[in-house]
Amino acid sequence: MDMRTTIEGLAEEAERQLHDKTWEPTDADRALAAQAAVDLAAAVGPPDLQQALTPVERLEDLREALAVIAIATARIHGPLAWLLAAASTALAPILHWRALAAEAGHTFGTIEAGPEWYAEAEDAVRRLQAVLAVLGAP
């Protein structure tokens, strides 16, 4: 399963729980979700802007998005933490990517990511950002 599909499933589950009122976010959940949504939007911009960046810049932005998710996860408990942790796990392959060519044997197990990988991961981050924005709305 790819990142986009996994994040979409998580987003749908969160939206379903909100709709069915099986998850009633607390004020702390809403505040953290709203801030994380803002921070994710700042990390990964619209597709046309991201595609204009170099691979190094795109990878930096995706790693920043992972940092946003990690920090938010550390600051909350319960369903929102579970959603963020699952999203972090889905996006974890980003940590094994590199944007620079490397000499053989000096890569620490990383692999060069292709443009389609960046696009998929960026779409997944945008979908997570969208569901967090919904969660953060009053």
Side-chain angles (χ1 to χ4, degrees):
M1 191 177 310
D2 64 29
M3 287 179 209
R4 190 180 301 133
T5 302
T6 302
I7 296 296
E8 181 61 35
L10 295 170
E12 288 174 359
E13 181 178 350
E15 290 166 345
R16 186 173 45 258
Q17 289 182 20
L18 292 171
H19 178 266
D20 295 347
K21 301 211 185 288
T22 57
W23 178 17
E24 303 251 357
T26 65
D27 290 342
D29 289 339
R30 291 193 184 283
L32 187 78
Q35 185 60 56
V38 167
D39 294 344
L40 287 175
V44 174
D48 57 332
L49 293 177
Q50 288 303 123
Q51 291 170 1
L53 298 174
T54 67
V56 170
E57 292 168 318
R58 290 177 85 176
L59 186 53
E60 287 173 355
D61 289 349
L62 288 167
R63 289 176 179 163
E64 183 176 335
L66 277 171
V68 166
I69 297 166
I71 290 168
T73 304
R75 293 183 174 158
I76 202 79
H77 299 281
L80 182 55
W82 306 332
L83 168 63
L84 293 168
S88 181
T89 300
L91 296 169
I94 292 166
L95 297 173
H96 299 281
W97 297 353
R98 69 175 190 279
L100 301 174
E103 295 178 29
H106 299 289
T107 64
F108 297 97
T110 60
I111 54 176
E112 273 190 84
E116 66 282 355
W117 295 9
Y118 293 120
E120 177 191 338
E122 291 159 354
D123 286 347
V125 169
R126 286 186 204 96
R127 181 61 173 111
L128 178 61
Q129 183 275 330
V131 78
L132 290 173
V134 168
L135 275 163

